[in-house]
Amino acid sequence: MKEALRENVASLSPVITEFEKPFWNSLQNGQLMVQKCPECGHVQFPPSPVCSNCLSDTVQWVNCSNKATLWSWVAFHKAYLEPYGDVPYGVVLAKLEEGPIVTGRMSAETVSTTAFDAPLRATYVKTADGTVLVEFVPEK
Ligand SMILES: [Zn+2]
């Protein structure tokens, strides 16, 4: 079987739409933001131009508490893509205190020893291309 390697790292950069910019900008400032609907109070992620609960187009960006719980995880032991060659590493689904579930990184060693529903805290790491990613760590 032929390995699928990507030569062009730029192709892995997120495609940021206009309505997603506040999210990516907030990560650059070390803060995680989600959208909250002032009409019905629904909190949502991923970002959308409208509330996924009531379709209001008045959704607003709000800061998260950076608190979450571990909802699911996987540890990658093979480097499928060049920019993610530093294996092993963990990828988690974390349920934010505000409600939405987000994807983030976590060290493979930590993720395999952290219980589901364990409290986590969001931290922020800058990749080589300048993209800031969320990395969760256990809350002590
Ligand atoms: Zn709504």
Side-chain angles (χ1 to χ4, degrees):
M1 177 182 289
K2 185 176 181 185
E3 295 289 325
L5 293 177
R6 288 188 170 189
E7 299 291 327
N8 184 358
V9 175
S11 68
L12 297 175
S13 297
V15 177
I16 302 172
T17 63
E18 191 63 34
F19 65 88
E20 293 171 332
K21 277 186 180 175
F23 169 75
W24 291 101
N25 289 342
S26 73
L27 294 184
Q28 291 288 332
N29 296 321
Q31 178 62 53
L32 183 58
M33 295 183 87
V34 293
Q35 291 178 316
K36 185 172 185 177
C37 176
E39 304 295 328
C40 72
H42 179 67
V43 180
Q44 65 186 16
F45 187 87
S48 171
V50 298
C51 173
S52 62
N53 186 54
C54 73
L55 301 180
S56 168
D57 64 356
T58 62
V59 289
Q60 298 172 340
W61 288 94
V62 295
N63 287 337
C64 289
S65 63
N66 289 324
K67 294 179 180 176
T69 53
L70 183 60
W71 197 76
S72 187
W73 64 269
V74 65
F76 285 87
H77 294 271
K78 179 176 178 176
Y80 290 98
L81 301 169
E82 185 70 27
Y84 301 100
D86 191 18
V87 292
Y89 64 89
V91 175
V92 302
L93 292 176
K95 184 169 177 51
L96 297 174
E97 187 174 67
E98 292 77 10
I101 294 173
V102 300
T103 305
R105 294 189 71 162
M106 182 182 272
S107 81
E109 182 180 333
T110 302
V111 79
S112 64
T113 57
T114 303
F116 291 115
D117 295 325
L120 306 177
R121 180 172 44 86
T123 65
Y124 304 90
V125 292
K126 187 171 276 193
T127 64
D129 71 356
T131 302
V132 175
L133 302 176
V134 179
E135 182 169 310
F136 286 95
V137 296
E139 185 68 274
K140 299 186 174 162

